[in-house]
Amino acid sequence: MSLQVLVTGANGFVGKAVSRALLRRGDSVLGAVRQVHSAAEGVREWLLDVDDFAGIEQRWPVGVGCDAAIHLAARVHVMHESVSDPLAAYRATNVDGALRVAAAARGAGARRFVFVSSIKAMAEAGPGRPIGEADTPAPVDPYGISKLEAERALFDYGRASGLEIVVVRPPLVYGPGVRANFLQLMNAIAKGVPLPLGAIKARRSLVFVDNLADALVHCATDPRAAGETFHVTDGRDLSLPELVRALAMQLHAPARLVPVPAGVLRMAGRLSGRSAQIDRLIGELRVDSSRIRERLGWVPPYTVEHGLLETAAWYRATH
Protein backbone atom coordinates (compact mmCIF):
# COMPACT_ATOMS: atom_id res chain seq x y z
CA MET A 1 0.00 0.00 0.00
CA SER A 2 1.42 3.39 -0.97
CA LEU A 3 1.80 6.04 1.69
CA GLN A 4 1.87 9.81 1.96
CA VAL A 5 5.16 10.57 3.71
CA LEU A 6 6.46 13.89 5.00
CA VAL A 7 10.24 14.21 4.74
CA THR A 8 11.80 17.23 6.44
CA GLY A 9 15.17 18.27 5.09
CA ALA A 10 14.15 16.63 1.82
CA ASN A 11 16.71 18.62 -0.16
CA GLY A 12 19.62 17.48 2.01
CA PHE A 13 22.22 14.77 1.47
CA VAL A 14 20.20 12.09 3.29
CA GLY A 15 16.80 13.62 2.48
CA LYS A 16 17.24 13.17 -1.26
CA ALA A 17 18.24 9.52 -0.82
CA VAL A 18 15.25 8.86 1.45
CA SER A 19 12.87 10.60 -0.97
CA ARG A 20 14.13 8.52 -3.89
CA ALA A 21 13.75 5.31 -1.88
CA LEU A 22 10.15 6.18 -0.99
CA LEU A 23 9.29 7.16 -4.56
CA ARG A 24 10.69 3.84 -5.84
CA ARG A 25 8.23 2.10 -3.49
CA GLY A 26 5.37 4.07 -5.05
CA ASP A 27 4.86 6.37 -2.06
CA SER A 28 4.04 10.07 -2.35
CA VAL A 29 6.58 12.40 -0.75
CA LEU A 30 5.84 15.83 0.70
CA GLY A 31 9.27 17.39 1.08
CA ALA A 32 9.69 20.25 3.54
CA VAL A 33 12.49 22.44 2.18
CA ARG A 34 13.88 25.91 2.77
CA GLN A 35 14.64 26.47 -0.91
CA VAL A 36 12.46 25.58 -3.90
CA HIS A 37 13.57 23.32 -6.76
CA SER A 38 16.09 21.61 -4.49
CA ALA A 39 14.53 18.22 -3.69
CA ALA A 40 14.66 14.99 -5.69
CA GLU A 41 12.58 14.74 -8.85
CA GLY A 42 9.05 13.59 -8.05
CA VAL A 43 8.89 15.17 -4.59
CA ARG A 44 6.07 17.62 -3.88
CA GLU A 45 8.03 20.50 -2.38
CA TRP A 46 6.68 22.45 0.56
CA LEU A 47 8.58 25.68 1.11
CA LEU A 48 8.85 26.04 4.88
CA ASP A 49 11.38 28.79 5.37
CA VAL A 50 10.81 29.38 9.09
CA ASP A 51 13.07 28.93 12.09
CA ASP A 52 12.54 25.88 14.30
CA PHE A 53 9.36 24.91 12.41
CA ALA A 54 7.40 27.71 14.05
CA GLY A 55 3.75 27.67 12.96
CA ILE A 56 4.10 24.46 10.95
CA GLU A 57 0.58 23.27 11.83
CA GLN A 58 -0.99 26.47 10.51
CA ARG A 59 1.16 26.32 7.36
CA TRP A 60 0.35 22.69 6.50
CA PRO A 61 -0.75 22.43 2.84
CA VAL A 62 -4.54 22.37 2.55
CA GLY A 63 -5.96 18.96 1.70
CA VAL A 64 -2.65 17.09 2.02
CA GLY A 65 -2.73 14.09 4.32
CA CYS A 66 0.15 12.31 6.02
CA ASP A 67 0.57 8.64 6.91
CA ALA A 68 4.14 8.88 8.22
CA ALA A 69 6.91 11.41 8.71
CA ILE A 70 10.68 11.07 8.53
CA HIS A 71 12.29 13.99 10.35
CA LEU A 72 15.79 14.72 9.08
CA ALA A 73 16.04 18.50 9.40
CA ALA A 74 18.21 19.56 12.32
CA ARG A 75 20.73 22.04 13.59
CA VAL A 76 23.97 20.18 13.00
CA HIS A 77 27.54 20.92 14.03
CA VAL A 78 28.46 24.57 13.59
CA MET A 79 32.19 24.95 13.01
CA HIS A 80 32.41 28.60 14.05
CA GLU A 81 29.68 29.08 16.65
CA SER A 82 28.33 32.63 16.85
CA VAL A 83 25.46 32.31 19.35
CA SER A 84 26.08 32.99 23.03
CA ASP A 85 24.19 29.88 24.21
CA PRO A 86 24.77 27.04 21.72
CA LEU A 87 22.82 24.44 23.72
CA ALA A 88 19.71 26.66 23.71
CA ALA A 89 20.03 27.09 19.93
CA TYR A 90 20.35 23.33 19.41
CA ARG A 91 17.37 22.67 21.68
CA ALA A 92 15.21 25.23 19.87
CA THR A 93 15.63 23.39 16.56
CA ASN A 94 16.34 19.79 17.49
CA VAL A 95 13.94 19.42 20.43
CA ASP A 96 11.21 22.06 20.12
CA GLY A 97 11.25 21.95 16.33
CA ALA A 98 11.00 18.16 16.25
CA LEU A 99 8.02 18.22 18.61
CA ARG A 100 6.27 20.79 16.39
CA VAL A 101 6.79 18.60 13.33
CA ALA A 102 5.49 15.55 15.20
CA ALA A 103 2.36 17.41 16.32
CA ALA A 104 1.73 18.76 12.82
CA ALA A 105 2.17 15.33 11.25
CA ARG A 106 -0.14 13.81 13.84
CA GLY A 107 -2.72 16.48 13.10
CA ALA A 108 -2.53 15.60 9.40
CA GLY A 109 -3.21 11.93 10.14
CA ALA A 110 0.24 10.41 10.62
CA ARG A 111 0.51 7.17 12.57
CA ARG A 112 4.31 6.88 12.49
CA PHE A 113 7.09 9.42 13.13
CA VAL A 114 10.70 8.45 12.40
CA PHE A 115 13.22 10.70 14.13
CA VAL A 116 16.71 10.64 12.68
CA SER A 117 18.95 11.19 15.68
CA SER A 118 22.70 10.52 15.81
CA ILE A 119 25.10 8.14 17.48
CA LYS A 120 26.40 11.30 19.17
CA ALA A 121 23.29 11.10 21.37
CA MET A 122 25.05 8.09 22.91
CA ALA A 123 28.75 8.95 22.87
CA GLU A 124 31.57 10.70 21.06
CA ALA A 125 33.96 7.77 21.44
CA GLY A 126 33.56 4.05 21.97
CA PRO A 127 34.13 2.13 25.21
CA GLY A 128 36.29 -0.51 23.51
CA ARG A 129 33.31 -2.43 22.14
CA PRO A 130 30.39 -1.65 19.83
CA ILE A 131 27.80 0.70 21.35
CA GLY A 132 24.33 -0.82 21.66
CA GLU A 133 20.95 0.82 22.03
CA ALA A 134 20.69 -0.32 25.66
CA ASP A 135 23.96 1.35 26.72
CA THR A 136 23.78 4.39 28.98
CA PRO A 137 23.80 7.57 26.87
CA ALA A 138 26.66 9.99 27.54
CA PRO A 139 26.58 12.78 24.92
CA VAL A 140 29.33 15.35 25.32
CA ASP A 141 28.43 18.30 23.10
CA PRO A 142 25.32 20.47 22.62
CA TYR A 143 24.40 18.67 19.41
CA GLY A 144 24.45 15.21 21.00
CA ILE A 145 22.70 16.44 24.14
CA SER A 146 19.91 18.04 22.10
CA LYS A 147 19.43 14.89 20.03
CA LEU A 148 19.08 12.73 23.15
CA GLU A 149 16.63 15.21 24.70
CA ALA A 150 14.61 15.18 21.48
CA GLU A 151 14.43 11.38 21.50
CA ARG A 152 13.08 11.38 25.05
CA ALA A 153 10.63 14.23 24.43
CA LEU A 154 9.28 12.51 21.31
CA PHE A 155 8.72 9.21 23.10
CA ASP A 156 6.83 11.13 25.81
CA TYR A 157 4.75 12.84 23.13
CA GLY A 158 4.10 9.53 21.41
CA ARG A 159 2.83 7.93 24.62
CA ALA A 160 0.51 10.89 25.22
CA SER A 161 -0.78 11.24 21.64
CA GLY A 162 -0.72 7.71 20.25
CA LEU A 163 1.79 8.64 17.54
CA GLU A 164 4.22 5.75 16.93
CA ILE A 165 7.79 6.98 17.41
CA VAL A 166 10.88 5.32 15.93
CA VAL A 167 14.38 6.67 16.64
CA VAL A 168 17.30 5.93 14.32
CA ARG A 169 20.90 6.74 15.35
CA PRO A 170 23.32 6.59 12.41
CA PRO A 171 27.08 7.03 12.75
CA LEU A 172 29.04 8.87 10.01
CA VAL A 173 27.01 8.85 6.78
CA TYR A 174 28.85 8.85 3.44
CA GLY A 175 27.88 8.66 -0.21
CA PRO A 176 27.53 10.86 -3.29
CA GLY A 177 27.11 14.46 -2.14
CA VAL A 178 28.89 13.94 1.19
CA ARG A 179 30.39 17.03 2.80
CA ALA A 180 32.50 17.95 5.84
CA ASN A 181 35.33 15.69 7.04
CA PHE A 182 34.70 12.83 4.61
CA LEU A 183 34.92 15.18 1.64
CA GLN A 184 38.10 16.74 3.06
CA LEU A 185 39.62 13.27 3.35
CA MET A 186 38.80 12.52 -0.28
CA ASN A 187 40.27 15.87 -1.33
CA ALA A 188 43.53 15.03 0.45
CA ILE A 189 43.71 11.53 -1.04
CA ALA A 190 42.96 12.77 -4.56
CA LYS A 191 45.73 15.38 -4.28
CA GLY A 192 48.24 12.81 -3.03
CA VAL A 193 48.70 14.52 0.33
CA PRO A 194 50.65 12.36 2.82
CA LEU A 195 48.33 11.44 5.71
CA PRO A 196 49.75 10.72 9.20
CA LEU A 197 47.22 7.94 9.79
CA GLY A 198 49.15 4.79 8.95
CA ALA A 199 49.51 3.66 12.58
CA ILE A 200 45.87 4.21 13.62
CA LYS A 201 44.30 0.89 14.56
CA ALA A 202 40.95 2.16 15.89
CA ARG A 203 37.88 1.26 13.86
CA ARG A 204 34.81 3.37 13.19
CA SER A 205 31.35 2.42 12.00
CA LEU A 206 29.98 4.05 8.86
CA VAL A 207 26.72 3.89 6.93
CA PHE A 208 26.28 4.38 3.19
CA VAL A 209 23.53 6.92 2.53
CA ASP A 210 21.42 4.49 0.48
CA ASN A 211 21.68 1.87 3.25
CA LEU A 212 20.47 4.46 5.74
CA ALA A 213 17.64 5.51 3.42
CA ASP A 214 16.53 1.89 3.06
CA ALA A 215 16.55 1.43 6.84
CA LEU A 216 14.51 4.61 7.34
CA VAL A 217 11.89 3.41 4.87
CA HIS A 218 11.64 0.15 6.82
CA CYS A 219 11.26 2.12 10.05
CA ALA A 220 8.47 4.21 8.51
CA THR A 221 6.54 1.22 7.16
CA ASP A 222 7.18 -1.90 9.27
CA PRO A 223 4.67 -2.34 12.14
CA ARG A 224 7.40 -4.02 14.23
CA ALA A 225 9.44 -0.80 14.36
CA ALA A 226 6.93 1.13 16.47
CA GLY A 227 8.44 2.39 19.72
CA GLU A 228 11.93 1.16 18.88
CA THR A 229 15.37 2.77 18.79
CA PHE A 230 17.78 1.45 16.18
CA HIS A 231 21.46 1.89 15.39
CA VAL A 232 22.10 1.56 11.64
CA THR A 233 25.48 0.79 10.03
CA ASP A 234 26.92 -0.94 6.98
CA GLY A 235 27.76 -3.87 9.23
CA ARG A 236 31.51 -3.66 8.65
CA ASP A 237 33.82 -1.33 10.56
CA LEU A 238 36.96 0.01 8.91
CA SER A 239 40.16 1.37 10.38
CA LEU A 240 41.29 4.72 9.00
CA PRO A 241 44.14 3.17 6.98
CA GLU A 242 41.67 0.66 5.50
CA LEU A 243 39.28 3.47 4.59
CA VAL A 244 42.06 5.56 3.02
CA ARG A 245 43.34 2.62 0.97
CA ALA A 246 39.84 1.72 -0.22
CA LEU A 247 39.08 5.29 -1.23
CA ALA A 248 42.47 5.73 -2.89
CA MET A 249 41.87 2.67 -5.02
CA GLN A 250 38.48 3.96 -6.15
CA LEU A 251 39.86 7.48 -6.72
CA HIS A 252 42.76 6.07 -8.75
CA ALA A 253 45.17 7.87 -6.42
CA PRO A 254 48.07 6.73 -4.23
CA ALA A 255 47.39 5.97 -0.57
CA ARG A 256 50.16 8.00 1.07
CA LEU A 257 49.94 6.83 4.68
CA VAL A 258 52.61 7.87 7.17
CA PRO A 259 52.75 5.77 10.41
CA VAL A 260 52.62 8.50 13.08
CA PRO A 261 51.75 7.16 16.57
CA ALA A 262 48.35 8.15 17.94
CA GLY A 263 50.00 9.74 20.99
CA VAL A 264 51.99 12.10 18.78
CA LEU A 265 48.84 13.09 16.89
CA ARG A 266 47.01 13.78 20.15
CA MET A 267 49.91 15.92 21.40
CA ALA A 268 49.82 17.87 18.12
CA GLY A 269 46.09 18.33 18.65
CA ARG A 270 46.61 19.78 22.13
CA LEU A 271 49.35 22.12 20.94
CA SER A 272 47.24 23.38 18.03
CA GLY A 273 44.00 23.65 19.99
CA ARG A 274 42.40 20.94 17.85
CA SER A 275 42.20 18.10 20.38
CA ALA A 276 38.51 17.46 19.75
CA GLN A 277 39.00 17.16 15.99
CA ILE A 278 42.01 14.85 16.37
CA ASP A 279 40.20 12.65 18.90
CA ARG A 280 37.22 12.32 16.54
CA LEU A 281 39.52 11.46 13.67
CA ILE A 282 41.63 8.77 15.33
CA GLY A 283 39.35 7.51 18.12
CA GLU A 284 37.29 4.34 18.03
CA LEU A 285 33.52 4.54 17.59
CA ARG A 286 32.02 1.16 16.74
CA VAL A 287 28.25 0.74 16.69
CA ASP A 288 26.22 -2.43 17.21
CA SER A 289 23.44 -2.52 14.60
CA SER A 290 22.20 -6.04 15.32
CA ARG A 291 18.87 -4.94 16.81
CA ILE A 292 17.35 -3.64 13.55
CA ARG A 293 18.49 -6.83 11.82
CA GLU A 294 16.88 -9.00 14.49
CA ARG A 295 13.66 -7.01 14.98
CA LEU A 296 12.93 -6.07 11.37
CA GLY A 297 15.00 -8.58 9.44
CA TRP A 298 16.75 -5.61 7.83
CA VAL A 299 19.97 -6.23 5.92
CA PRO A 300 21.98 -3.41 4.30
CA PRO A 301 21.26 -3.68 0.57
CA TYR A 302 24.72 -2.36 -0.35
CA THR A 303 28.22 -3.38 0.72
CA VAL A 304 30.87 -0.97 1.97
CA GLU A 305 32.76 -1.54 -1.28
CA HIS A 306 29.74 -0.50 -3.32
CA GLY A 307 29.18 2.57 -1.16
CA LEU A 308 32.77 3.72 -1.50
CA LEU A 309 32.71 3.03 -5.26
CA GLU A 310 29.59 5.20 -5.67
CA THR A 311 31.08 7.95 -3.51
CA ALA A 312 34.37 7.98 -5.39
CA ALA A 313 32.59 7.96 -8.77
CA TRP A 314 30.58 11.02 -7.70
CA TYR A 315 33.77 12.73 -6.51
CA ARG A 316 35.62 12.08 -9.76
CA ALA A 317 32.67 13.40 -11.78
CA THR A 318 32.27 16.61 -9.78
CA HIS A 319 35.74 17.63 -8.60
Side-chain angles (χ1 to χ4, degrees):
M1 184 181 73
S2 63
L3 302 176
Q4 275 268 31
V5 184
L6 168 69
V7 177
T8 66
N11 57 336
F13 168 50
V14 179
K16 286 180 179 177
V18 170
S19 297
R20 287 191 291 263
L22 289 165
L23 292 167
R24 282 195 297 270
R25 258 180 42 98
D27 297 321
S28 299
V29 179
L30 175 65
V33 298
R34 296 182 70 106
Q35 184 178 350
V36 294
H37 309 307
S38 57
E41 184 179 352
V43 171
R44 175 174 177 172
E45 290 187 332
W46 173 20
L47 182 62
L48 196 62
D49 190 13
V50 295
D51 290 335
D52 309 327
F53 295 94
I56 182 174
E57 289 188 77
Q58 293 74 34
R59 291 178 167 84
W60 193 279
V62 176
V64 177
C66 181
D67 297 307
I70 299 176
H71 184 50
L72 286 154
R75 187 178 201 265
V76 296
H77 289 285
V78 179
M79 292 301 294
H80 302 289
E81 191 63 79
S82 59
V83 299
S84 59
D85 188 348
L87 181 54
Y90 279 104
R91 282 173 170 155
T93 301
N94 296 348
V95 184
D96 300 340
L99 287 169
R100 291 186 186 113
V101 175
R106 181 64 173 156
R111 298 182 298 275
R112 176 73 56 86
F113 186 88
V114 180
F115 178 64
V116 183
S117 183
S118 167
I119 199 61
K120 291 179 182 293
M122 291 295 290
E124 190 71 52
R129 56 172 176 76
I131 299 171
E133 293 88 345
D135 286 332
T136 302
V140 299
D141 65 3
Y143 172 72
I145 291 167
S146 70
K147 282 292 195 178
L148 181 62
E149 290 179 352
E151 293 178 13
R152 291 170 171 171
L154 285 165
F155 277 125
D156 287 343
Y157 175 77
R159 282 187 287 270
S161 67
L163 181 65
E164 297 172 351
I165 305 296
V166 186
V167 167
V168 175
R169 297 185 186 129
L172 176 65
V173 185
Y174 69 97
V178 69
R179 295 287 182 261
N181 293 339
F182 203 96
L183 178 58
Q184 291 177 16
L185 179 62
M186 286 198 293
N187 282 334
I189 294 169
K191 292 173 183 175
V193 175
L195 298 169
L197 306 172
I200 304 304
K201 299 292 192 291
R203 296 179 178 273
R204 295 183 77 88
S205 296
L206 309 170
V207 62
F208 178 46
V209 67
D210 286 344
N211 283 340
L212 176 58
D214 188 75
L216 291 174
V217 171
H218 276 73
C219 288
T221 58
D222 192 322
R224 297 170 294 180
E228 293 284 357
T229 297
F230 295 122
H231 294 171
V232 177
T233 76
D234 286 339
R236 182 174 155 218
D237 303 331
L238 301 178
S239 68
L240 263 176
E242 287 173 336
L243 177 60
V244 169
R245 291 189 189 101
L247 282 170
M249 182 174 68
Q250 301 295 356
L251 290 169
H252 306 151
R256 295 204 163 102
L257 286 161
V258 181
V260 177
V264 174
L265 292 174
R266 289 194 172 93
M267 182 180 297
R270 286 193 295 271
L271 293 173
S272 63
R274 301 180 64 193
S275 286
Q277 292 96 316
I278 295 296
D279 287 344
R280 278 199 297 271
L281 180 66
I282 67 174
E284 178 199 279
L285 185 56
R286 289 182 293 147
V287 178
D288 181 356
S289 57
S290 60
R291 177 182 281 185
I292 189 170
R293 298 163 189 257
E294 294 164 359
R295 299 286 172 91
L296 307 188
W298 180 78
V299 177
Y302 303 103
T303 63
V304 174
E305 289 79 10
H306 175 88
L308 294 177
L309 173 63
E310 291 287 316
T311 309
W314 162 80
Y315 181 89
R316 291 198 310 272
T318 57
H319 290 73

